[in-house]
Amino acid sequence: MFGVSSEKERALLAKMEELGIAERDIEEKFIRSSGPGGQHVNKVSTAVYLKHLPTGIAVKCQQERSQALNRFLARRILVDKIESGILKKRTEKEQRIAKIRRQKRRRSKRAKDKMLADKKKQSVKKQARAFKPGPDDLA
């Protein structure tokens, strides 16, 4: 179907199925490539543009001179982008939960003592800065 080994094609289709990406959800267009490649690139629409309609993620691939290979590569890039988007959302949620967990846990004795010592040091510093009227200032 894509001009690549059937093993790679099966792996890609399995990944798409795992992520819930259906072929009917993908809008596919073929565009003329630009850049090196000579007459072949200028005459034939080898670049592939894919858009995943549910997420709105779009990909354009013109890495190879073969349209079939570009179709495969574009799908692989699209699957990677969708997967990273899903994982990113998951990790943001995990990070938020971990942050709340850190905020709620009790400090160790050593950390508490260090924090209190730092607070005491700061208060001593602030007291030293405070204006204290001396006997000469009263007159």
Side-chain angles (χ1 to χ4, degrees), residues 84-98:
S84 68
I86 291 169
L87 291 176
K88 183 181 174 199
K89 287 177 190 167
R90 217 178 274 156
T91 56
E92 283 175 2
K93 186 177 179 183
E94 288 170 4
Q95 285 175 347
R96 194 174 64 246
I97 290 168

Side-chain angles (χ1 to χ4, degrees), residues 113-129:
D113 290 344
K114 185 176 187 281
M115 182 211 41
L116 290 173
D118 287 343
K119 277 186 158 187
K120 181 70 177 168
K121 194 170 156 184
Q122 189 67 21
S123 71
V124 168
K125 223 191 289 184
K126 284 184 96 172
Q127 286 173 353
R129 279 192 228 131

Side-chain angles (χ1 to χ4, degrees), residues 68-86:
L69 200 52
N70 281 333
R71 286 182 75 202
F72 171 77
L73 294 172
R75 277 175 173 71
R76 199 161 66 181
I77 294 166
L78 183 70
V79 166
D80 289 344
K81 279 191 173 189
I82 292 171
E83 185 180 31
S84 68
I86 291 169

Side-chain angles (χ1 to χ4, degrees), residues 106-117:
R106 288 185 59 177
R107 286 193 172 94
S108 67
K109 175 93 170 107
R110 184 176 176 189
K112 191 175 179 182
D113 290 344
K114 185 176 187 281
M115 182 211 41
L116 290 173

Side-chain angles (χ1 to χ4, degrees), residues 24-40:
R24 66 180 177 276
D25 294 338
I26 297 175
E27 179 185 313
E28 184 173 42
K29 293 180 188 174
F30 301 103
I31 310 163
R32 289 232 171 101
S33 295
S34 61
Q39 187 177 10
H40 179 76

